[in-house]
Coordinates of all heavy atoms in Angstrom, one line a residue:
M1 N 0.8 -1.2 0.0 CA 0.0 0.0 0.0 C 0.9 1.2 0.0 O 1.5 1.6 1.0 CB -0.9 0.0 1.2 CG -1.9 -1.1 1.3 SD -3.2 -1.0 0.0 CE -4.4 0.0 0.9
S2 N 0.9 1.9 -1.1 CA 1.8 3.1 -1.2 C 1.0 4.4 -0.9 O 1.5 5.4 -0.5 CB 2.4 3.2 -2.6 OG 1.4 3.5 -3.5
G3 N -0.3 4.3 -1.0 CA -1.2 5.4 -0.8 C -1.3 6.4 -2.0 O -2.0 7.4 -1.9
R4 N -0.7 6.0 -3.1 CA -0.7 6.9 -4.2 C -1.8 6.3 -5.2 O -1.7 5.2 -5.7 CB 0.6 6.9 -4.9 CG 1.7 7.5 -4.1 CD 3.0 7.6 -4.8 NE 3.0 8.5 -5.9 CZ 4.1 8.8 -6.6 NH1 5.2 8.4 -6.2 NH2 4.0 9.7 -7.6
T5 N -2.8 7.1 -5.3 CA -4.0 6.6 -6.1 C -4.2 7.4 -7.4 O -5.2 7.2 -8.1 CB -5.3 6.6 -5.3 OG1 -5.5 7.9 -4.8 CG2 -5.2 5.6 -4.1
R6 N -3.2 8.2 -7.7 CA -3.4 9.1 -8.9 C -3.5 8.3 -10.2 O -4.3 8.7 -11.1 CB -2.2 10.0 -9.0 CG -2.4 11.3 -9.8 CD -1.1 12.1 -9.9 NE -0.1 11.4 -10.6 CZ 0.1 11.4 -11.9 NH1 -0.7 12.2 -12.7 NH2 1.1 10.8 -12.5
V7 N -2.8 7.2 -10.3 CA -2.8 6.4 -11.6 C -4.2 5.9 -11.8 O -4.7 6.0 -13.0 CB -1.8 5.3 -11.5 CG1 -1.9 4.4 -12.7 CG2 -0.4 5.9 -11.5
S8 N -4.8 5.3 -10.8 CA -6.1 4.7 -11.1 C -7.2 5.7 -11.2 O -8.2 5.5 -11.9 CB -6.5 3.7 -9.9 OG -6.5 4.5 -8.7
A9 N -7.0 6.9 -10.7 CA -8.0 8.0 -10.8 C -8.0 8.6 -12.2 O -9.0 9.0 -12.7 CB -7.8 9.1 -9.8
C10 N -6.9 8.5 -12.9 CA -6.8 9.1 -14.2 C -6.0 8.2 -15.1 O -4.8 8.4 -15.3 CB -6.1 10.5 -14.1 SG -6.0 11.4 -15.6
P11 N -6.6 7.2 -15.6 CA -5.9 6.2 -16.4 C -5.3 6.7 -17.7 O -6.0 7.4 -18.4 CB -6.9 5.1 -16.6 CG -8.2 5.8 -16.5 CD -8.0 6.9 -15.6
E12 N -4.0 6.4 -17.9 CA -3.4 6.9 -19.2 C -3.1 5.7 -20.0 O -2.8 4.6 -19.5 CB -2.1 7.6 -18.8 CG -2.3 9.0 -18.3 CD -1.0 9.8 -18.3 OE1 0.1 9.1 -18.2 OE2 -1.1 11.0 -18.4
R13 N -3.1 5.9 -21.3 CA -2.8 4.8 -22.3 C -1.8 5.5 -23.3 O -1.8 6.7 -23.5 CB -4.0 4.3 -23.0 CG -5.0 3.6 -22.1 CD -4.4 2.2 -21.6 NE -5.4 1.5 -20.9 CZ -5.5 1.6 -19.6 NH1 -4.8 2.5 -18.9 NH2 -6.4 0.9 -18.9
T14 N -1.0 4.6 -24.0 CA -0.1 5.1 -25.0 C -0.8 4.9 -26.3 O -1.3 3.8 -26.7 CB 1.2 4.3 -24.9 OG1 1.7 4.5 -23.6 CG2 2.2 4.8 -26.0
C15 N -0.8 6.0 -27.1 CA -1.3 5.9 -28.5 C -0.3 5.0 -29.3 O 0.9 5.3 -29.3 CB -1.4 7.3 -29.1 SG -1.7 7.3 -30.9
V16 N -0.8 4.0 -30.0 CA 0.1 3.1 -30.8 C 0.6 3.8 -32.1 O 1.4 3.3 -32.7 CB -0.6 1.8 -31.1 CG1 -0.9 1.0 -29.9 CG2 -1.9 2.0 -32.0
G17 N 0.0 5.0 -32.4 CA 0.5 5.7 -33.6 C 1.7 6.6 -33.2 O 2.8 6.4 -33.6
C18 N 1.4 7.7 -32.4 CA 2.5 8.6 -32.1 C 3.3 8.3 -30.9 O 4.2 8.9 -30.6 CB 1.9 10.0 -32.0 SG 0.7 10.2 -30.6
R19 N 2.8 7.2 -30.2 CA 3.5 6.8 -29.0 C 3.5 7.7 -27.8 O 4.3 7.6 -26.9 CB 5.0 6.4 -29.3 CG 5.2 5.5 -30.4 CD 4.7 4.1 -30.2 NE 5.3 3.4 -29.1 CZ 4.9 2.3 -28.5 NH1 3.8 1.7 -29.0 NH2 5.5 1.7 -27.5
E20 N 2.6 8.7 -27.9 CA 2.4 9.6 -26.8 C 1.4 9.1 -25.8 O 0.4 8.5 -26.2 CB 2.1 11.0 -27.3 CG 3.3 11.8 -27.8 CD 2.9 13.2 -28.3 OE1 1.8 13.7 -27.8 OE2 3.6 13.7 -29.1
R21 N 1.6 9.4 -24.5 CA 0.6 9.0 -23.5 C -0.5 10.1 -23.5 O -0.3 11.2 -23.6 CB 1.3 8.9 -22.2 CG 2.2 7.7 -22.1 CD 2.8 7.6 -20.7 NE 1.9 7.1 -19.7 CZ 1.5 5.8 -19.6 NH1 2.0 4.9 -20.4 NH2 0.7 5.5 -18.7
A22 N -1.7 9.6 -23.2 CA -2.9 10.5 -23.1 C -3.9 9.8 -22.2 O -3.8 8.6 -22.0 CB -3.5 10.7 -24.5
V23 N -4.7 10.6 -21.7 CA -5.8 10.0 -20.8 C -6.7 9.2 -21.7 O -6.9 9.5 -22.9 CB -6.6 11.1 -20.1 CG1 -5.8 11.8 -19.0 CG2 -7.2 12.1 -21.0
K24 N -7.2 8.1 -21.1 CA -7.9 7.1 -21.8 C -9.1 7.7 -22.7 O -9.3 7.3 -23.8 CB -8.5 6.1 -20.8 CG -8.6 4.7 -21.3 CD -9.0 3.8 -20.1 CE -9.8 2.6 -20.6 NZ -10.3 1.9 -19.4
G25 N -9.7 8.7 -22.1 CA -10.9 9.3 -22.7 C -10.6 10.0 -24.1 O -11.5 10.2 -24.9
D26 N -9.3 10.4 -24.2 CA -8.9 11.1 -25.5 C -8.5 10.1 -26.6 O -8.3 10.5 -27.7 CB -7.7 12.0 -25.2 CG -8.2 13.2 -24.4 OD1 -9.4 13.4 -24.3 OD2 -7.3 13.9 -23.9
L27 N -8.4 8.8 -26.2 CA -8.0 7.8 -27.2 C -9.1 7.0 -27.7 O -10.1 6.8 -26.9 CB -6.9 7.0 -26.6 CG -5.6 7.8 -26.3 CD1 -4.7 6.9 -25.5 CD2 -4.9 8.3 -27.5
L28 N -9.0 6.4 -28.9 CA -10.0 5.5 -29.4 C -9.5 4.1 -29.1 O -8.3 3.7 -29.4 CB -10.1 5.7 -30.9 CG -11.1 4.7 -31.6 CD1 -12.5 4.9 -31.2 CD2 -11.0 5.0 -33.1
R29 N -10.3 3.3 -28.5 CA -10.0 1.9 -28.2 C -10.2 1.0 -29.5 O -11.3 1.1 -30.0 CB -10.7 1.3 -27.0 CG -10.3 -0.1 -26.6 CD -11.0 -0.5 -25.3 NE -10.4 -1.8 -24.9 CZ -11.1 -3.0 -25.0 NH1 -12.2 -3.0 -25.6 NH2 -10.5 -4.1 -24.6
I30 N -9.3 0.2 -29.8 CA -9.4 -0.7 -31.0 C -9.3 -2.1 -30.5 O -8.5 -2.4 -29.7 CB -8.2 -0.4 -32.0 CG1 -7.9 1.1 -32.2 CG2 -8.5 -1.1 -33.3 CD1 -9.0 1.8 -32.9
V31 N -10.2 -2.9 -31.0 CA -10.1 -4.3 -30.7 C -10.1 -5.1 -32.0 O -10.4 -4.6 -33.1 CB -11.3 -4.9 -29.9 CG1 -11.2 -4.2 -28.5 CG2 -12.6 -4.6 -30.5
M32 N -9.6 -6.3 -32.0 CA -9.5 -7.2 -33.1 C -10.7 -8.2 -33.1 O -10.9 -8.9 -32.2 CB -8.2 -8.0 -33.1 CG -8.0 -8.9 -34.3 SD -6.4 -9.7 -34.4 CE -6.5 -10.8 -33.0
V33 N -11.4 -8.1 -34.2 CA -12.6 -9.1 -34.4 C -12.4 -9.8 -35.7 O -12.5 -9.3 -36.8 CB -13.9 -8.3 -34.4 CG1 -15.1 -9.3 -34.6 CG2 -14.1 -7.5 -33.1
E34 N -12.0 -11.1 -35.6 CA -11.8 -12.0 -36.7 C -10.9 -11.3 -37.8 O -11.2 -11.3 -39.0 CB -13.2 -12.3 -37.3 CG -14.0 -13.2 -36.4 CD -15.4 -13.5 -36.9 OE1 -15.7 -12.9 -38.0 OE2 -16.1 -14.2 -36.2
G35 N -9.8 -10.8 -37.4 CA -8.8 -10.3 -38.3 C -9.1 -8.8 -38.7 O -8.3 -8.3 -39.5
D36 N -10.1 -8.2 -38.3 CA -10.4 -6.8 -38.6 C -10.1 -6.0 -37.3 O -10.4 -6.4 -36.2 CB -11.9 -6.6 -38.9 CG -12.2 -7.1 -40.3 OD1 -11.3 -7.7 -40.9 OD2 -13.4 -7.0 -40.7
C37 N -9.5 -4.8 -37.6 CA -9.4 -3.8 -36.5 C -10.7 -3.0 -36.5 O -11.1 -2.4 -37.5 CB -8.2 -2.9 -36.8 SG -6.7 -3.6 -36.5
V38 N -11.4 -3.1 -35.4 CA -12.6 -2.3 -35.3 C -12.6 -1.4 -34.1 O -12.0 -1.6 -33.1 CB -13.9 -3.3 -35.1 CG1 -14.0 -4.2 -36.3 CG2 -13.8 -4.1 -33.9
P39 N -13.2 -0.2 -34.3 CA -13.2 0.8 -33.2 C -14.2 0.4 -32.2 O -15.4 0.0 -32.5 CB -13.7 2.1 -33.9 CG -14.4 1.7 -35.2 CD -13.8 0.3 -35.6
D40 N -13.8 0.4 -30.9 CA -14.7 0.1 -29.8 C -15.2 1.4 -29.2 O -14.6 1.9 -28.3 CB -13.9 -0.7 -28.8 CG -14.7 -1.1 -27.6 OD1 -15.9 -0.9 -27.7 OD2 -14.1 -1.6 -26.6
Q41 N -16.2 1.9 -29.8 CA -16.7 3.3 -29.4 C -17.1 3.4 -28.0 O -17.0 4.4 -27.4 CB -17.8 3.7 -30.3 CG -17.4 3.8 -31.8 CD -18.6 3.9 -32.7 OE1 -19.4 4.8 -32.6 NE2 -18.7 3.0 -33.7
R42 N -17.7 2.3 -27.4 CA -18.2 2.4 -26.1 C -17.2 1.8 -25.1 O -17.4 1.9 -23.9 CB -19.5 1.7 -25.9 CG -20.6 2.3 -26.7 CD -21.9 1.5 -26.5 NE -23.0 2.2 -27.2 CZ -24.2 1.7 -27.2 NH1 -24.5 0.5 -26.6 NH2 -25.2 2.2 -27.9
G43 N -16.1 1.3 -25.6 CA -15.1 0.7 -24.7 C -15.6 -0.6 -24.0 O -15.2 -0.9 -22.8
T44 N -16.5 -1.3 -24.6 CA -17.1 -2.4 -23.9 C -16.8 -3.8 -24.6 O -17.2 -4.8 -24.1 CB -18.7 -2.3 -23.9 OG1 -19.1 -2.0 -25.2 CG2 -19.1 -1.1 -23.0
L45 N -16.2 -3.7 -25.8 CA -15.9 -5.0 -26.5 C -14.8 -5.8 -25.7 O -13.9 -5.2 -25.2 CB -15.4 -4.7 -27.9 CG -16.5 -4.1 -28.8 CD1 -15.9 -3.8 -30.2 CD2 -17.7 -5.1 -29.0
P46 N -15.0 -7.1 -25.7 CA -14.0 -7.9 -24.9 C -12.7 -8.1 -25.7 O -12.7 -7.8 -26.9 CB -14.8 -9.3 -24.8 CG -15.6 -9.3 -26.0 CD -16.1 -7.9 -26.3
G47 N -11.7 -8.5 -25.0 CA -10.4 -8.8 -25.6 C -9.4 -7.7 -25.4 O -9.7 -6.7 -24.8
R48 N -8.3 -8.0 -26.0 CA -7.1 -7.1 -25.9 C -7.4 -5.8 -26.7 O -7.9 -5.9 -27.8 CB -5.9 -7.8 -26.4 CG -4.7 -7.0 -26.5 CD -3.5 -7.8 -27.0 NE -3.1 -8.8 -26.0 CZ -2.1 -8.4 -25.1 NH1 -1.6 -7.2 -25.1 NH2 -1.8 -9.3 -24.2
G49 N -7.1 -4.7 -26.1 CA -7.4 -3.4 -26.8 C -6.1 -2.7 -27.1 O -5.1 -2.8 -26.4
A50 N -6.1 -1.9 -28.2 CA -5.1 -1.0 -28.5 C -5.7 0.4 -28.5 O -6.8 0.6 -28.8 CB -4.4 -1.3 -29.8
Y51 N -4.9 1.4 -28.2 CA -5.4 2.7 -28.1 C -4.7 3.6 -29.1 O -3.5 3.5 -29.2 CB -5.2 3.3 -26.7 CG -6.1 2.6 -25.7 CD1 -5.7 1.4 -25.1 CD2 -7.4 3.1 -25.4 CE1 -6.6 0.7 -24.2 CE2 -8.2 2.5 -24.5 CZ -7.8 1.3 -23.9 OH -8.6 0.6 -23.0
V52 N -5.5 4.5 -29.8 CA -4.9 5.4 -30.7 C -5.7 6.7 -30.7 O -6.9 6.6 -30.4 CB -4.9 4.7 -32.2 CG1 -6.3 4.5 -32.7 CG2 -4.0 5.5 -33.2
H53 N -5.0 7.8 -31.0 CA -5.8 9.0 -31.2 C -6.7 8.9 -32.4 O -6.3 8.3 -33.4 CB -4.8 10.2 -31.4 CG -4.0 10.6 -30.2 ND1 -2.7 10.5 -30.1 CD2 -4.5 11.2 -29.1 CE1 -2.3 11.0 -28.9 NE2 -3.3 11.4 -28.3
P54 N -7.9 9.3 -32.3 CA -8.9 9.2 -33.4 C -8.5 10.2 -34.5 O -9.4 11.0 -34.9 CB -10.2 9.4 -32.8 CG -10.0 10.3 -31.6 CD -8.6 10.0 -31.1
T55 N -7.3 10.2 -35.0 CA -6.9 11.0 -36.1 C -6.3 10.2 -37.2 O -5.7 9.1 -36.9 CB -5.9 12.1 -35.6 OG1 -4.7 11.4 -35.2 CG2 -6.4 12.9 -34.5
L56 N -6.3 10.7 -38.4 CA -5.7 9.9 -39.5 C -4.2 9.8 -39.4 O -3.6 8.8 -39.7 CB -6.1 10.6 -40.9 CG -7.5 10.4 -41.4 CD1 -7.8 11.2 -42.6 CD2 -7.8 8.9 -41.6
V57 N -3.6 10.9 -38.8 CA -2.2 10.9 -38.7 C -1.7 9.7 -37.8 O -0.9 8.9 -38.2 CB -1.7 12.2 -38.1 CG1 -0.2 12.2 -37.8 CG2 -2.0 13.4 -39.0
C58 N -2.4 9.6 -36.6 CA -2.0 8.5 -35.7 C -2.4 7.2 -36.3 O -1.7 6.2 -36.1 CB -2.6 8.8 -34.4 SG -1.8 10.1 -33.5
H59 N -3.6 7.1 -36.9 CA -4.0 5.8 -37.5 C -3.0 5.4 -38.6 O -2.6 4.2 -38.6 CB -5.4 6.0 -38.2 CG -5.8 4.9 -39.1 ND1 -5.4 4.8 -40.4 CD2 -6.5 3.8 -38.8 CE1 -5.9 3.7 -40.9 NE2 -6.5 3.0 -40.0
D60 N -2.6 6.3 -39.5 CA -1.7 5.9 -40.5 C -0.3 5.5 -40.0 O 0.4 4.6 -40.4 CB -1.5 7.0 -41.6 CG -2.8 7.2 -42.4 OD1 -3.6 6.2 -42.4 OD2 -2.9 8.2 -43.1
L61 N 0.1 6.3 -38.9 CA 1.4 5.9 -38.3 C 1.3 4.5 -37.7 O 2.3 3.7 -37.8 CB 1.7 6.9 -37.1 CG 2.5 8.1 -37.5 CD1 2.6 9.1 -36.3 CD2 4.0 7.7 -37.8
A62 N 0.2 4.2 -37.0 CA 0.1 2.9 -36.4 C 0.1 1.8 -37.5 O 0.7 0.7 -37.3 CB -1.2 2.9 -35.6
V63 N -0.6 2.0 -38.6 CA -0.6 1.0 -39.7 C 0.8 0.8 -40.2 O 1.3 -0.3 -40.4 CB -1.6 1.5 -40.8 CG1 -1.4 0.6 -42.0 CG2 -3.0 1.4 -40.3
R64 N 1.5 2.0 -40.5 CA 2.8 1.9 -41.1 C 3.8 1.1 -40.1 O 4.7 0.4 -40.6 CB 3.4 3.3 -41.3 CG 4.2 3.4 -42.5 CD 4.6 4.8 -42.8 NE 3.4 5.7 -42.9 CZ 3.4 7.0 -42.6 NH1 4.5 7.6 -42.2 NH2 2.3 7.7 -42.7
R65 N 3.6 1.3 -38.8 CA 4.5 0.7 -37.9 C 4.0 -0.8 -37.5 O 4.6 -1.4 -36.6 CB 4.5 1.5 -36.6 CG 5.3 2.8 -36.7 CD 5.1 3.5 -35.4 NE 6.1 4.6 -35.4 CZ 6.0 5.6 -34.5 NH1 5.0 5.7 -33.7 NH2 6.9 6.6 -34.5
R66 N 3.0 -1.2 -38.2 CA 2.4 -2.5 -37.9 C 2.1 -2.6 -36.4 O 2.3 -3.7 -35.7 CB 3.3 -3.6 -38.3 CG 3.6 -3.7 -39.8 CD 4.5 -4.8 -40.1 NE 5.5 -4.4 -41.1 CZ 5.2 -4.4 -42.4 NH1 4.0 -4.8 -42.9 NH2 6.1 -4.1 -43.3
A67 N 1.6 -1.5 -35.8 CA 1.4 -1.5 -34.4 C 0.2 -2.3 -34.0 O 0.1 -2.9 -32.9 CB 1.2 0.0 -33.9
F68 N -0.8 -2.4 -34.9 CA -2.0 -3.2 -34.5 C -1.8 -4.7 -34.4 O -2.1 -5.3 -33.4 CB -3.2 -2.9 -35.5 CG -3.7 -1.4 -35.3 CD1 -3.7 -0.6 -36.4 CD2 -4.1 -1.0 -34.1 CE1 -4.2 0.7 -36.3 CE2 -4.6 0.4 -34.0 CZ -4.6 1.2 -35.1
P69 N -1.1 -5.3 -35.4 CA -0.8 -6.7 -35.3 C 0.0 -7.0 -34.1 O -0.1 -8.0 -33.4 CB -0.1 -7.1 -36.6 CG -0.5 -6.0 -37.5 CD -0.8 -4.8 -36.7
R70 N 1.0 -6.1 -33.8 CA 1.8 -6.3 -32.6 C 1.0 -6.2 -31.3 O 1.2 -7.0 -30.4 CB 2.9 -5.2 -32.6 CG 4.2 -5.6 -31.9 CD 5.2 -4.5 -31.9 NE 5.4 -3.9 -33.2 CZ 5.8 -2.6 -33.4 NH1 5.8 -1.8 -32.4 NH2 6.0 -2.2 -34.6
A71 N 0.1 -5.2 -31.3 CA -0.7 -5.0 -30.0 C -1.6 -6.2 -29.8 O -1.8 -6.6 -28.7 CB -1.5 -3.7 -30.2
F72 N -2.1 -6.8 -30.9 CA -3.0 -7.9 -30.7 C -2.3 -9.2 -30.8 O -3.0 -10.3 -30.8 CB -4.1 -7.8 -31.8 CG -4.9 -6.5 -31.7 CD1 -5.1 -5.7 -32.8 CD2 -5.5 -6.1 -30.5 CE1 -5.8 -4.5 -32.8 CE2 -6.3 -5.0 -30.4 CZ -6.4 -4.2 -31.6
R73 N -1.0 -9.2 -31.0 CA -0.3 -10.5 -31.1 C -0.8 -11.3 -32.3 O -1.0 -12.5 -32.2 CB -0.3 -11.3 -29.8 CG 0.4 -10.5 -28.7 CD 0.2 -11.2 -27.4 NE 0.4 -10.2 -26.3 CZ 1.5 -10.2 -25.6 NH1 2.5 -11.0 -25.8 NH2 1.6 -9.3 -24.6
A74 N -1.2 -10.6 -33.4 CA -1.7 -11.3 -34.5 C -0.6 -11.9 -35.4 O 0.5 -11.3 -35.4 CB -2.6 -10.4 -35.3
Q75 N -0.9 -13.0 -36.1 CA 0.1 -13.6 -36.9 C 0.3 -12.9 -38.2 O 1.4 -12.8 -38.7 CB -0.2 -15.1 -37.1 CG -0.3 -15.9 -35.8 CD 1.0 -15.9 -35.1 OE1 2.1 -16.0 -35.7 NE2 1.0 -15.6 -33.8
G76 N -0.8 -12.5 -38.8 CA -0.8 -11.9 -40.1 C -1.2 -10.4 -40.1 O -1.5 -9.9 -39.0
P77 N -1.3 -9.8 -41.3 CA -1.8 -8.5 -41.4 C -3.3 -8.4 -41.0 O -4.0 -9.3 -41.2 CB -1.6 -8.1 -42.8 CG -1.5 -9.4 -43.6 CD -1.0 -10.4 -42.6
L78 N -3.6 -7.2 -40.5 CA -5.0 -7.0 -40.1 C -5.7 -6.0 -41.1 O -5.0 -5.2 -41.6 CB -5.1 -6.4 -38.7 CG -4.5 -7.3 -37.6 CD1 -4.5 -6.6 -36.3 CD2 -5.3 -8.6 -37.4
D79 N -7.0 -6.2 -41.2 CA -7.7 -5.3 -42.1 C -8.1 -4.0 -41.3 O -8.8 -4.1 -40.3 CB -9.0 -6.0 -42.6 CG -9.7 -5.2 -43.7 OD1 -9.4 -4.0 -43.8 OD2 -10.6 -5.8 -44.4
T80 N -7.6 -2.9 -41.8 CA -7.9 -1.7 -41.0 C -8.8 -0.8 -41.9 O -8.9 0.4 -41.6 CB -6.6 -0.9 -40.7 OG1 -5.8 -0.8 -41.9 CG2 -5.7 -1.7 -39.7
T81 N -9.4 -1.3 -42.9 CA -10.3 -0.5 -43.8 C -11.5 0.2 -43.0 O -11.7 1.4 -43.1 CB -10.9 -1.3 -44.9 OG1 -9.8 -2.1 -45.4 CG2 -11.4 -0.5 -46.0
A82 N -12.1 -0.7 -42.2 CA -13.3 -0.1 -41.5 C -12.8 0.9 -40.4 O -13.5 1.9 -40.2 CB -14.0 -1.3 -40.8
L83 N -11.7 0.6 -39.8 CA -11.2 1.5 -38.8 C -10.9 2.9 -39.4 O -11.2 3.9 -38.9 CB -10.0 0.9 -38.2 CG -9.2 1.8 -37.2 CD1 -10.1 2.2 -36.0 CD2 -8.0 1.1 -36.6
R84 N -10.2 2.8 -40.6 CA -9.8 4.1 -41.3 C -11.0 4.9 -41.7 O -11.1 6.1 -41.4 CB -9.0 3.8 -42.5 CG -8.3 5.0 -43.0 CD -7.4 4.8 -44.2 NE -6.3 5.7 -44.3 CZ -6.5 7.0 -44.8 NH1 -7.7 7.4 -45.1 NH2 -5.5 7.8 -44.8
S85 N -12.1 4.3 -42.2 CA -13.2 5.1 -42.5 C -13.9 5.6 -41.3 O -14.5 6.7 -41.3 CB -14.2 4.2 -43.4 OG -14.6 3.0 -42.8
Y86 N -13.8 4.9 -40.2 CA -14.4 5.5 -38.9 C -13.6 6.7 -38.5 O -14.2 7.7 -38.2 CB -14.4 4.4 -37.8 CG -14.8 5.0 -36.5 CD1 -16.1 5.1 -36.2 CD2 -13.8 5.4 -35.6 CE1 -16.5 5.7 -35.0 CE2 -14.2 5.9 -34.4 CZ -15.5 6.1 -34.1 OH -15.9 6.6 -32.9
V87 N -12.3 6.6 -38.6 CA -11.4 7.7 -38.2 C -11.7 8.9 -39.1 O -11.7 10.1 -38.7 CB -9.9 7.3 -38.1 CG1 -9.1 8.5 -37.9 CG2 -9.7 6.2 -37.1
E88 N -11.9 8.6 -40.4 CA -12.1 9.7 -41.3 C -13.4 10.4 -41.0 O -13.5 11.6 -41.1 CB -12.3 9.1 -42.8 CG -11.0 9.0 -43.5 CD -11.1 8.3 -44.8 OE1 -12.2 7.8 -45.1 OE2 -10.1 8.3 -45.6
Q89 N -14.4 9.7 -40.5 CA -15.7 10.3 -40.1 C -15.5 11.2 -38.9 O -16.1 12.3 -38.8 CB -16.7 9.2 -39.8 CG -17.3 8.6 -41.1 CD -18.2 7.5 -40.7 OE1 -18.9 7.5 -39.7 NE2 -18.2 6.4 -41.5
V90 N -14.7 10.8 -37.9 CA -14.7 11.5 -36.6 C -13.6 12.6 -36.7 O -13.6 13.5 -35.8 CB -14.4 10.6 -35.4 CG1 -15.5 9.6 -35.2 CG2 -13.1 9.9 -35.5
T91 N -12.7 12.6 -37.7 CA -11.7 13.6 -37.8 C -12.3 14.8 -38.5 O -12.9 14.7 -39.5 CB -10.5 13.1 -38.6 OG1 -10.0 11.9 -38.0 CG2 -9.4 14.2 -38.7
P92 N -12.2 16.0 -37.8 CA -12.7 17.2 -38.4 C -12.1 17.5 -39.8 O -10.9 17.3 -39.9 CB -12.4 18.3 -37.4 CG -11.8 17.7 -36.2 CD -11.5 16.2 -36.5
Ligands
ZN1 ZN1 -1.4 9.6 -31.3

């Protein structure tokens, strides 16, 4: 018991695109569903999640770095088409 509760009060995650830390609420949670990367808009889908800023810059960086297969420990490439169109919609 250290008495330090700041971490649990304000959870941070690392964006798999730009590798910067941000509060969980600012990042989009991504999960793998049958080889597809899908946005978990409500944060309720089961399984391992990856976090990325909901911007095309971070999305494209993550794809180029193969960050999603690495995050999900996938054997092959993942389909990020649906994810990209989602990010395109939410990006101003
Ligand atoms: Zn980012």
Side-chain angles (χ1 to χ4, degrees):
M1 296 291 274
S2 67
R4 299 181 65 172
T5 55
R6 199 181 66 88
V7 172
S8 58
C10 186
E12 283 191 335
R13 294 291 183 273
T14 302
C15 170
V16 294
C18 65
R19 309 292 300 168
E20 279 181 22
R21 291 182 71 81
V23 290
K24 211 174 154 189
D26 287 348
L27 297 170
L28 176 66
R29 184 173 188 258
I30 315 295
V31 294
M32 181 174 67
V33 178
E34 294 174 359
D36 287 1
C37 286
V38 296
D40 181 10
Q41 295 166 58
R42 293 181 179 178
T44 52
L45 293 175
R48 174 177 286 272
Y51 291 84
V52 68
H53 286 112
T55 65
L56 285 175
V57 175
C58 288
H59 168 273
D60 289 346
L61 267 174
V63 169
R64 213 175 306 149
R65 288 176 167 164
R66 300 179 218 280
F68 292 124
R70 206 183 310 147
F72 299 128
R73 296 166 201 262
Q75 298 302 314
L78 298 173
D79 190 345
T80 54
T81 314
L83 175 60
R84 192 177 208 284
S85 54
Y86 173 81
V87 173
E88 273 175 349
Q89 282 174 38
V90 297
T91 301

